[in-house]
Amino acid sequence: MTDMKLWVIGKNSLVVLTIFTIALYVLSFCFNWSDDDFLRFREVFDQDLRYANATKKILFWTKMFSDETFYMGTGYIARHCPVNNCYATNKRNVVNLTDFDAVLFHGNDLDLEDLPKDRSPRQWYVFVNLESPANRPMTSYFYEDFFNITMTYRLDSDIVWTYAVVKDARTNVNVAPSRNVNWSAFYAGSGDRTIGDDVDASLSKTIRGKTKPIIWFVSNCVAKSGREEYVNELSKHIPVDVYGACGNMFCPRNEDCFARVAEPGYFFYLSFENSLCDDYVTEKLYNSLRYNVVPIVYGGANYSRYAPPRSYIDVFDFDTPKSLADYLKKLMKNPRKYSEYFAWKKYYKIEDGVQQGVCNLCEFLHKQKQSRTQKFLSDWFGRSKCHLQEFLRNHSYLTGSIFKD
């Protein structure tokens, strides 16, 4: 009798799944899905109901600039994450709108005329932004309590999405960015933080081939951080080659300019941010760290939370552009000392931040149960988050001397 009941239940389940599959095929024509969209989403429901209910469904409501999937892709976007049962789509009508567990909105693409008509209290409405508030402030008070959670570059976001991550080269564990960063692998392994005789032949050859001091790739020529004014003063004391719209030198768009131009020819790269805001560290730093060229940073973050020790040079460690230039000239004349800025590469590696952002999102959706609202979003995102910018009212650019006043 028990076997008969199980057979009936199994048969009924098969009938339900068959009917559901046929219905999806019909809907695919109605909604003009592509075959890939249909097949990926069907995967969610072609499992038993327990599995389908466990899958966290994510909807990209807006674009992120020109990308319809927030650069994350669609389908099971967290396949390679520790918590991986998350499915994402930008198709609003594949299920009832209230059945999505999370709905992502890009802060720069919000449109009051295009917001969801239905909302469930259990859903997470996610405010996503990788731009600083100095450049992209919140302009509408409508959104003050519209979102449940935040997903930004800030380390105090509900879901952290940084431009890159630093991993332990041996364990593959994330080390940075983090407010509680631990660089013990570097200090335990390197002792006095020098490479010494361990400089490999390839790096030595690269360093010997460098002939020019500083390179800068830049297209935004009117930044709020005062970086152009700093570079103008710095260039009076040491040559700076400016590539892109703000200079007179160019690298083809389809080429890897760091590999082709920066690494073989230059000692330093200017990783200067366009605004001086808390935790705002972009690809400008990490693009350089991926290559054998030392970044010089100018920004509002605590860089020790973002990059390994002795991997960068901070403008704010010097009182004037001239004192920075003097230090750079000394390094250029001392290859052994200069090579110390690459010792960290024995212990850490740089990886793209998008996949880690995906993993953080999926893990949050599975582990966070208590619903809440992000009140006063504009205060959280912008108020007193770019305090260094205030100093620019009385200075054309900033140096380390401002911290001594």
Side-chain angles (χ1 to χ4, degrees):
M1 187 65 179
T2 301
D3 292 340
M4 178 62 71
K5 287 182 179 179
L6 290 175
W7 179 83
V8 171
I9 292 172
K11 183 177 180 181
N12 288 340
S13 298
L14 180 61
V15 170
V16 171
L17 287 175
T18 301
I19 294 173
F20 191 81
T21 300
I22 294 172
L24 283 180
Y25 274 114
V26 173
L27 289 173
S28 71
F29 291 103
C30 296
F31 295 130
N32 195 29
W33 290 353
S34 71
D35 290 341
D36 287 342
D37 289 331
F38 175 79
L39 291 174
R40 281 196 296 265
F41 196 77
R42 179 185 165 189
E43 289 178 9
V44 176
F45 298 97
D46 279 354
Q47 313 293 330
D48 61 61
L49 294 178
R50 182 176 58 184
Y51 181 80
N53 289 336
T55 299
K56 298 300 181 180
K57 295 175 282 295
I58 301 164
L59 174 63
F60 302 118
W61 184 264
T62 67
K63 292 182 179 180
M64 189 170 187
F65 299 115
S66 60
D67 195 282
E68 295 182 336
T69 67
F70 285 52
Y71 307 99
M72 300 180 190
T74 57
Y76 286 97
I77 58 176
R79 291 181 187 275
H80 303 294
C81 301
V83 179
N84 53 35
N85 195 6
C86 288
Y87 185 92
T89 180
N90 65 331
K91 306 298 183 184
R92 299 178 180 181
N93 47 19
V94 292
V95 296
N96 290 332
L97 185 56
T98 55
D99 287 336
F100 285 102
D101 297 280
V103 184
L104 272 59
F105 303 82
H106 184 222
N108 297 352
D109 292 290
L110 288 170
D111 182 358
L112 280 171
E113 301 300 319
D114 181 33
L115 295 176
K117 298 296 189 293
D118 299 303
R119 179 175 185 175
S120 166
R122 71 170 189 84
Q123 287 180 301
W124 299 106
Y125 273 24
V126 188
F127 173 77
V128 180
N129 206 326
L130 295 185
E131 295 289 323
S132 78
N135 293 320
R136 303 279 184 169
M138 292 293 296
T139 57
S140 174
Y141 287 102
F142 174 85
Y143 300 108
E144 289 289 27
D145 59 357
F146 181 74
F147 299 98
N148 304 92
I149 53 176
T150 57
M151 184 176 183
T152 79
Y153 62 86
R154 289 252 301 275
L155 299 184
D156 60 344
S157 301
D158 296 297
I159 302 166
V160 178
W161 181 6
T162 54
Y163 281 81
V165 292
V166 182
K167 292 192 171 187
D168 187 297
R170 182 178 60 85
T171 65
N172 207 41
V173 171
N174 287 354
V175 178
S178 171
R179 287 191 165 185
N180 300 308
V181 68
N182 184 342
W183 301 113
S184 58
F186 175 82
Y187 291 112
S190 63
D192 63 355
R193 294 180 294 171
T194 63
I195 296 182
D197 295 330
D198 293 332
V199 179
D200 61 61
S202 177
L203 176 58
S204 296
K205 181 179 179 181
T206 298
I207 293 175
R208 288 196 303 270
K210 296 177 182 290
T211 59
K212 301 176 183 180
I214 303 172
I215 187 171
W216 189 25
F217 300 131
V218 59
S219 56
N220 177 1
C221 310
V222 191
K224 297 181 183 296
S225 62
R227 64 185 183 184
E228 293 85 6
E229 289 76 10
Y230 189 100
V231 174
N232 288 339
E233 182 62 29
L234 179 65
S235 62
K236 296 177 182 178
H237 309 286
I238 190 171
V240 179
D241 288 346
V242 182
Y243 281 70
C246 306
N248 56 5
M249 308 180 79
F250 300 93
C251 178
R253 285 183 176 273
N254 60 344
E255 292 197 23
D256 184 341
C257 297
F258 273 91
R260 177 179 175 272
V261 180
E263 182 179 79
Y266 292 85
F267 285 88
F268 309 102
Y269 176 75
L270 296 184
S271 299
F272 281 23
E273 300 297 351
N274 57 33
S275 54
L276 305 173
C277 299
D278 294 355
D279 293 347
Y280 188 58
V281 177
T282 68
E283 77 287 347
K284 298 174 183 64
L285 169 65
Y286 296 108
N287 285 345
S288 180
L289 290 176
R290 287 186 172 95
Y291 295 87
N292 292 320
V293 54
V294 177
I296 302 172
V297 300
Y298 178 84
N302 178 348
Y303 280 89
S304 67
R305 296 172 173 174
Y306 288 82
R310 201 70 170 172
S311 66
Y312 60 90
I313 297 170
D314 195 332
V315 160
F316 294 147
D317 288 337
F318 302 87
D319 288 342
T320 65
K322 182 181 183 304
S323 61
L324 170 61
D326 291 341
Y327 177 74
L328 300 180
K329 291 175 183 176
K330 290 179 180 178
L331 280 181
M332 292 169 60
K333 294 178 180 178
N334 189 336
R336 189 179 185 83
K337 196 72 174 175
Y338 175 78
S339 70
E340 293 176 9
Y341 281 90
F342 304 106
W344 66 271
K345 295 194 174 188
K346 294 190 296 182
Y347 310 100
Y348 305 105
K349 59 183 179 179
I350 308 297
E351 292 191 359
D352 184 75
V354 175
Q355 185 58 39
Q356 187 58 49
V358 168
C359 293
N360 293 344
L361 171 61
C362 191
E363 181 176 356
F364 180 95
L365 296 180
H366 278 278
K367 293 185 176 182
Q368 186 67 36
K369 306 300 182 184
Q370 188 66 39
S371 180
R372 63 178 182 273
T373 298
Q374 175 66 56
K375 293 184 179 295
F376 309 114
L377 179 64
S378 62
D379 280 0
W380 178 86
F381 186 59
R383 186 183 293 274
S384 301
K385 298 304 186 295
C386 304
H387 61 281
L388 288 181
Q389 295 279 154
E390 300 298 321
F391 288 93
L392 292 172
R393 294 179 179 179
N394 303 314
H395 304 82
S396 57
Y397 59 83
L398 302 187
T399 69
S401 60
I402 65 168
F403 300 104
K404 299 179 180 180
D405 294 341

